[in-house]
Amino acid sequence: MQSRPYTVNQSICLSHRRTQAIQRLMRESIAAVHVTRMCVALRLFFYIGLISPSALILASTYNDSARLYADILKPFDIRIRPLKNQSEPITVYFQMFLLNILNIDEVTQQVDLNAWINFSWVDELRTWDPSDYDRVSLIHPMPLDTWRPRILVSNSVAKRDLFEDDYTPLYISSDGRSKWFPGTIFSISCDIDIRHYPFDSQTCTMYIMTQDFATNINFYPDPSTVMTGNFKRNGEWDLMSTQVITSTPTFSNAAFSRLEISMVLKRKPVFFVVNTLVPTMFISAISSIVFILPEDSGERASFAITMLLSLSVFLSTVSSQLPQNSENFPIIISYLFSLLVLNGTTVFVTVLHLRCRQKKKESTPKSTGKEARHVGPVLSARRKRHFHNVSIQPIWGSGEKQLAAIPGEANVGQSFQKQDIAQRKNSLISDGDVTLARETTTDHSKQRNNSHGNSVVMAYLKDPNVLLFVFINTAWLILTTYFLVELISP
């Protein structure tokens, strides 16, 4: 079946329709593009509307601040005090914030402090109305761009003009109130009195003065103490109290305003007591044991010399920690030196006693020397008591008690007992007389016991080793008590 061919009119209608469809598609595409461009334009206008007010505000604030700095800082000379009446002094208020105590060196007598200082005053020239500068009421100029008090630390061991190159910003408010917060490490000299070391308390004073006359600047402490709210405690020293006062010293007929910051510091003595004082006292106390050691052991002299050398080491250790001056001589050094002399005396007496003992042994016969080696003071006293009590006669009714006190007389005691019974049967003595006789015998026994104890004590006291031991310990106790009282007492 053959297809029917198109006519000319039909072909023209078909092409016209295609052209219309293409034009319609093009119009729709162009409309979509216009819509997209309009959306982008609306977004841009929206963002610009949000950003432009902030940019305008920032530009306005910056311009106002720049204009304020130019109007407030540039017209005035920083060398002239900010007062309208230059014949009056300007009052500078002072506050000190102590952070910590870095170091206290007793040898160089130097104290290192970490602190901030607040200087505040009223600037009568640099004032403005915040409404004229878009409500800007505070500026922060550099110290070199405005007036500030020139400060010196007169007892500094480093630079005296500590704040010469300080770049801590100042704060100037619209009413003229100005504040300056310089901070640094203050190294100051301090007269340290170490007489009662390590139970000492020190008062260190820092002097801050101006380079202008007192007729130009007056210091006023507010408050009259150092601020210690952020103070960190030191491991060796306790901060007891602080005080800030003003004074007006005169140099070359010129008066200056000066601040005196005093700090009372008390040393913590625990470390020194545990590590130095107690071992020294212990070593010096046991040095007297040398007189208890046996004389023939051969260790007396070496033990005494060892104790003396140990004490010398402790003395040198303590001396190295203290300043080398003789104005305030430490009591602890005097105490250690006294102990050193006492131990030296112990060594000398020990060697001298051993020498005398050796000479006595050489001059004594060998047999006598061997017997004397085993006879002590107590044994000699017992022998003397035994021989002295043999002559005691028995008394009626107490023969068994009396002879019981004499060892080795058992048989004799039995004979006395029989004789006592026989005499009591044949006599007319009453029981009361017998009781009285027994009490008298008991008193005699007590007297013999007391005399025995006294003889033992006297024998010990006659021993030179015991006497030396008691003497050295007594001297040590007196020295220790005296020096400890002097150390602890203020």
Side-chain angles (χ1 to χ4, degrees):
M1 183 176 178
Q2 295 180 355
S3 60
R4 188 176 178 178
Y6 291 100
T7 61
V8 175
N9 294 331
Q10 290 178 345
S11 299
I12 293 172
C13 292
L14 182 61
S15 60
H16 181 68
R17 290 176 181 175
R18 290 178 179 175
T19 302
Q20 289 179 349
I22 292 173
Q23 291 178 353
R24 186 170 58 252
L25 291 174
M26 291 179 65
R27 285 195 299 269
E28 292 178 356
S29 298
I30 292 172
V33 170
H34 285 299
V35 171
T36 303
R37 289 178 177 176
M38 290 179 64
C39 291
V40 172
L42 290 175
R43 290 180 181 176
L44 289 176
F45 282 122
F46 176 75
Y47 288 128
I48 290 173
L50 292 178
I51 295 174
S52 59
S54 300
L56 293 175
I57 293 172
L58 290 176
S60 175
T61 304
Y62 173 79
N63 293 331
D64 291 334
S65 298
R67 184 164 53 89
L68 176 61
Y69 273 82
D71 295 344
I72 295 301
L73 300 179
K74 290 184 178 180
F76 304 103
D77 193 341
I78 62 174
R79 297 171 297 178
I80 301 176
R81 293 177 295 118
L83 291 177
K84 296 179 180 180
N85 186 2
Q86 292 293 314
S87 62
E88 295 180 356
I90 184 172
T91 302
V92 178
Y93 298 91
F94 173 85
Q95 284 183 337
M96 182 174 179
F97 300 86
L98 183 61
L99 300 181
N100 53 1
I101 300 172
L102 299 178
N103 182 39
I104 297 179
D105 194 344
E106 293 88 353
V107 178
T108 60
Q109 297 194 5
Q110 176 180 338
V111 178
D112 297 333
L113 305 174
N114 183 15
W116 289 87
I117 295 179
N118 176 19
F119 294 104
S120 59
W121 62 93
V122 177
D123 193 326
E124 297 180 359
L125 303 179
R126 296 169 179 85
T127 59
W128 69 93
D129 187 0
S131 61
D132 296 338
Y133 299 93
D134 197 16
R135 296 184 298 276
V136 177
S137 60
L138 190 68
I139 60 175
H140 308 279
M142 298 300 293
L144 300 178
D145 296 334
T146 184
W147 181 90
R148 58 171 179 163
R150 295 298 302 274
I151 306 300
L152 290 177
V153 181
S154 58
N155 63 334
S156 175
V157 297
K159 293 176 59 178
R160 300 189 185 278
D161 192 356
L162 297 178
F163 312 123
E164 178 183 5
D165 300 327
D166 188 84
Y167 293 99
T168 304
L170 284 90
Y171 300 88
I172 302 178
S173 60
S174 59
D175 57 356
R177 290 180 300 171
S178 304
K179 292 185 178 182
W180 179 36
F181 294 93
T184 185
I185 304 299
F186 297 91
S187 297
I188 60 174
S189 61
C190 179
D191 295 332
I192 299 178
D193 185 3
I194 56 172
R195 176 174 172 77
H196 296 278
Y197 179 90
F199 302 94
D200 55 330
S201 297
Q202 306 297 336
T203 301
C204 295
T205 304
M206 181 170 63
Y207 300 99
I208 296 179
M209 60 184 301
T210 65
Q211 297 184 15
D212 293 327
F213 299 122
T215 56
N216 296 332
I217 296 178
N218 282 334
F219 276 129
Y220 183 80
D222 183 26
S224 60
T225 57
V226 176
M227 309 298 290
T228 57
N230 297 321
F231 177 74
K232 295 182 180 179
R233 299 180 61 186
N234 187 272
E236 187 179 359
W237 296 87
D238 283 328
L239 182 63
M240 306 304 296
S241 63
T242 60
Q243 186 181 13
V244 181
I245 60 175
T246 58
S247 61
T248 308
T250 302
F251 302 98
S252 301
N253 298 326
F256 296 86
S257 181
R258 185 175 68 177
L259 289 164
E260 299 180 4
I261 302 99
S262 301
M263 293 168 287
V264 179
L265 305 172
K266 184 175 179 59
R267 191 190 303 271
K268 298 178 181 179
V270 178
F271 181 82
F272 182 84
V273 170
V274 173
N275 290 274
T276 303
L277 187 58
V278 172
T280 303
M281 294 172 61
F282 180 74
I283 290 174
S284 60
I286 65 175
S287 62
S288 60
I289 299 178
V290 68
F291 299 109
I292 300 179
L293 292 175
E295 296 178 353
D296 298 333
S297 63
E299 299 294 333
R300 279 194 170 190
S302 61
F303 180 81
I305 294 174
T306 302
M307 294 296 101
L308 180 63
L309 293 177
S310 301
L311 195 61
S312 302
V313 171
F314 278 103
L315 181 61
S316 62
T317 302
V318 176
S319 300
S320 62
Q321 300 176 359
L322 301 177
Q324 310 298 322
N325 61 62
S326 301
E327 294 182 0
N328 299 317
F329 198 76
I331 298 177
I332 187 67
I333 296 297
S334 301
Y335 173 62
L336 295 178
F337 181 74
S338 301
L339 294 181
L340 188 65
V341 172
L342 183 62
N343 280 30
T345 305
T346 302
V347 173
F348 177 76
V349 172
T350 300
V351 174
L352 185 62
H353 181 263
L354 290 176
R355 179 61 179 170
C356 295
R357 180 70 176 177
Q358 185 66 25
K359 285 186 177 180
K360 184 177 180 181
K361 186 183 296 185
E362 292 175 356
S363 62
T364 305
K366 295 183 179 180
S367 58
T368 307
K370 292 181 180 180
E371 292 178 0
R373 191 178 304 159
H374 301 286
V375 176
V378 179
L379 184 59
S380 301
R382 288 180 178 177
R383 289 183 179 180
K384 291 179 181 179
R385 173 182 173 276
H386 174 72
F387 289 112
H388 289 170
N389 294 338
V390 172
S391 60
I392 299 176
Q393 299 297 328
I395 302 176
W396 283 71
S398 60
E400 65 276 12
K401 292 184 179 180
Q402 182 181 6
L403 293 175
I406 304 176
E409 300 293 340
N411 297 328
V412 179
Q414 292 179 1
S415 61
F416 271 111
Q417 184 178 6
K418 293 179 180 180
Q419 182 180 0
D420 184 31
I421 294 172
Q423 289 179 353
R424 289 182 62 184
K425 289 181 179 180
N426 298 326
S427 64
L428 298 177
I429 299 176
S430 62
D431 293 336
D433 296 335
V434 175
T435 303
L436 180 61
R438 289 181 177 178
E439 292 177 355
T440 305
T441 306
T442 304
D443 295 337
H444 283 291
S445 300
K446 291 181 179 180
Q447 292 178 0
R448 287 195 301 273
N449 292 332
N450 293 334
S451 62
H452 167 62
N454 294 332
S455 62
V456 172
V457 173
M458 293 302 297
Y460 270 117
L461 293 179
K462 290 180 180 179
D463 188 2
N465 291 318
V466 176
L467 292 177
L468 290 173
F469 177 80
V470 173
F471 173 77
I472 295 297
N473 277 281
T474 304
W476 177 86
L477 185 61
I478 293 174
L479 286 175
T480 302
T481 303
Y482 172 75
F483 282 107
L484 285 181
V485 170
E486 289 292 325
L487 278 175
I488 297 175
S489 62

